Amino acid sequence: MNLAWKEIKKNKTKFIILGSIIFLVSFLTFIISGLSNGLSQDNAALIKDLPEGQFYMNADADATYNLSRIDASMQDKAMNGQKDAAALSIQMGFVNDADDKQHSIAFVTSTDSKLFESVEKGEIVLDRSLEDKGLKVGDTLTNNQFSGEFTVKAFVDQKKYSHAPVAYINMENYKEIYRVNEMQLVFVPGKEKALEIEGLQSFSNKDFLNTIPSYSAEQMSLNMIVWFLVVISGMLFAIFFYMMNVQKIGLYGILKAIGVKTSSLFGMMWSQMIVITLIALTFSVALSQGFTMIAPAGMPFSLTLQTTVQLSIVFIIIGFIGATLSGIQIKKVEPLQAIQQGEV
Amino acid sequence: MTVFTIDEVKKTFTNGEIDEQVLKGINLSLQEGEITALVGASGSGKSTILTIAAGLQRASDGRVLFEGKNMTDMNQEQIRKIRASEFGFVFQSAHLVPFLTVEEQLMLMLDVSETTMKKKEQKAEVAKILKLVEMNHRSKAYPASLSGGEKQRVAIARAIIHKPKMLFADEPTASLDSKRSKDVMLLIRDLTKTLNITTLMVTHDEEMLSYADHVITMKDGLILQS
């Protein structure tokens, strides 16, 4: 007999309250996770969208790419025979449009590679967010350190760095603007182990992201909130089921006295936890996915179904652990004690 | 025929550093289809002997034999199986499951006893037993809407639905008025005779003793009179 479902049906209010709490906590977690991912994309989509590989920067740069300068011989050593490898530089800057309106951007330049936009001298490829600000293909842009003009060649989707839209420019133009001859970084795609190159330090994509000022601090704070919420939801499960179990000690005792197995009582509690969690998660997944469609355009929000499903699985596991810990009382219940306590 | 034997059963409770012996060597034989009533003052040990016999707690010493099998040598799971399939319980309070209807309380007991009956047969059996205890008209009611007497009738129906060999009743009329107490005792007597169930009952109500085949008086952990 499905005791779990019958109890839920008879005590709807109690279970709706628990379900609502789980719904609210999980919804909040999904939204914060969406914001965290959104900010992460806004901060480093340029790097995050690259395949797994190794970044190299000068060993003397103290893991700060801005200080890194890789000379031609080192660059050749790092890129030698590596398919799709690229030497690149990233610098924050700005361009002015025809109305002399200034736009903050992150200049990116690289050697020929399919991983980065290939741009001719005097051309510029921009992140699409600048199209929303009124720039169009064919527009002319200037920079006070550049003698010439840039013509907007195209827009690309979701290419951000340090919360600024990326602007791909030709290496010669870059060298003129920043008065440098060396590139800051070499990127070698592939899952192979990093090569040991004298004078260069290697970083995985993840390690490189953490060298970006503000990225790790921002992500750590947001991820901490997400995991706090997950732990809190586990505690909520434990506390709620503990309170329900305390109320039902007498009932469990009587059921044990008439011969119900302890494992059946645990099964009853687990079924209730699974049913309530699945219903609550269905609502919060649907609502959070709906929110991704209506989130304001300027809001850095990115919540994939994969992330929501992963977090949902974590919620179910945490809920299961919370409910099980609170259920230890069920194992301890003595039928005799329950009988002597009177009516349940 | 002897169905149940209690042989030199002793029970000692430890309270801090003090050991209190509440049963001092009880011997008892229960015959098939008969009602045995245990009476005595509070603290005489009558409820303790009933709960030991019912497998709800262990004896400190002695043997409890059900159909020749020594329950004191059994593990918890073996005792649970006997409780589920061979024993029925009626407590002072009805102790019904609050979120199950009258009909479902009985279906649950059939489930617990691992009956081989099919669902249709189970429903027919439930209807038959509810008619027997005159509760068929309340089969869809929840415990909260039943009177004290009705609850106890359902508790009795639950205790016998799986055709147990033994029925343990711990002051089954204590929470009822005198008219309802008589009705319940008549019901227990009729059912045990009809279904050939061996009953061990604890009561302090002398009026109820007339329904028993044997009356055993206990005092200070010993059988005073049988």
Side-chain angles (χ1 to χ4, degrees), chain A residues 1-4 6-7 9-11 248 250-251 254-262 268 272 334-336 338-344, chain B residues 51 56-57 77 80 83-85 87 89 91-100 103-105 107-109 111-112 114 142 151 158 170:
Chain A
M1 176 179 284
N2 195 344
L3 281 179
K6 286 186 186 297
E7 189 184 11
K9 265 187 4 187
K10 187 76 174 73
N11 300 308
K248 289 198 289 190
L251 174 65
I254 297 305
L255 290 173
K256 275 189 173 183
I258 65 171
V260 175
K261 292 179 188 166
T262 304
M268 176 181 166
Q272 288 173 342
E334 288 293 334
L336 189 60
I339 294 161
Q340 285 163 349
Q341 276 174 1
E343 194 60 273
V344 288
Chain B
T51 50
L56 294 170
Q57 65 174 318
E77 178 54 19
R80 184 202 66 77
R83 282 209 307 265
S85 54
F87 292 177
F89 296 93
F91 309 109
Q92 191 170 331
S93 302
H95 287 303
L96 300 176
V97 181
F99 50 84
L100 295 182
E103 191 180 41
E104 288 166 347
Q105 310 273 349
M107 293 293 278
L108 169 69
M109 195 58 231
D111 260 7
V112 171
E114 294 173 9
Y142 284 97
K151 281 183 191 169
R158 181 179 66 181
D170 189 3

Side-chain angles (χ1 to χ4, degrees), chain A residues 63-230:
Chain A
T64 307
Y65 77 88
N66 264 327
L67 304 178
S68 172
R69 297 284 178 269
I70 300 176
D71 64 34
S73 65
M74 279 184 183
Q75 186 177 311
D76 287 345
K77 270 188 205 166
M79 291 172 65
N80 187 24
Q82 303 285 353
K83 195 172 171 264
D84 294 326
L88 68 146
S89 280
I90 308 164
Q91 283 286 1
M92 302 311 290
F94 60 88
V95 286
N96 291 70
D97 61 20
D99 300 327
D100 209 27
K101 190 177 169 194
Q102 208 168 55
H103 300 276
S104 286
I105 46 139
F107 282 117
V108 175
T109 191
S110 71
T111 52
D112 272 349
S113 166
K114 68 174 186 184
L115 299 172
F116 300 93
E117 295 296 317
S118 178
V119 191
E120 295 296 326
K121 283 181 193 170
E123 287 180 346
I124 191 164
V125 172
L126 301 169
D127 176 68
R128 199 167 297 285
S129 61
L130 289 169
E131 193 177 28
D132 300 335
K133 292 189 175 169
L135 296 184
K136 300 186 295 295
V137 173
D139 278 0
T140 302
L141 304 174
T142 56
N143 178 283
N144 61 358
Q145 287 175 287
F146 182 48
S147 58
E149 288 182 333
F150 289 116
T151 306
V152 179
K153 183 190 166 194
F155 290 98
V156 286
D157 288 322
Q158 196 61 38
K159 285 283 176 274
K160 295 279 194 82
Y161 187 82
S162 196
H163 301 295
V166 160
Y168 291 99
I169 55 172
N170 183 274
M171 198 178 279
E172 293 308 315
N173 298 154
Y174 178 89
K175 285 176 179 175
E176 184 193 330
I177 296 170
Y178 290 101
R179 313 280 193 269
V180 290
N181 284 314
E182 299 98 355
M183 293 290 100
Q184 296 166 327
L185 301 160
V186 169
F187 177 67
V188 180
K191 289 182 178 168
E192 299 84 39
K193 206 167 169 263
L195 292 169
E196 288 287 334
I197 301 166
E198 202 182 334
L200 294 183
Q201 188 179 1
S202 67
F203 298 84
S204 65
N205 294 32
K206 196 179 165 195
D207 291 340
F208 180 70
L209 282 171
N210 288 326
T211 68
I212 301 172
S214 85
Y215 180 86
S216 52
E218 189 179 272
Q219 287 301 302
M220 259 170 67
S221 311
L222 288 165
N223 285 336
M224 201 176 75
I225 296 173
V226 168
W227 289 108
F228 255 127
L229 287 171
V230 169

Side-chain angles (χ1 to χ4, degrees), chain A residues 257-277:
Chain A
I258 65 171
V260 175
K261 292 179 188 166
T262 304
S263 59
S264 303
L265 298 176
F266 268 95
M268 176 181 166
M269 185 185 69
W270 285 328
S271 316
Q272 288 173 342
M273 175 255 138
I274 295 283
V275 168
I276 297 302
T277 312

Side-chain angles (χ1 to χ4, degrees), chain B residues 211-225:
Chain B
Y211 300 94
D213 298 300
H214 303 282
V215 175
I216 291 168
T217 309
M218 290 186 67
K219 191 181 179 187
D220 299 333
L222 287 167
I223 291 176
L224 201 67
Q225 193 182 352

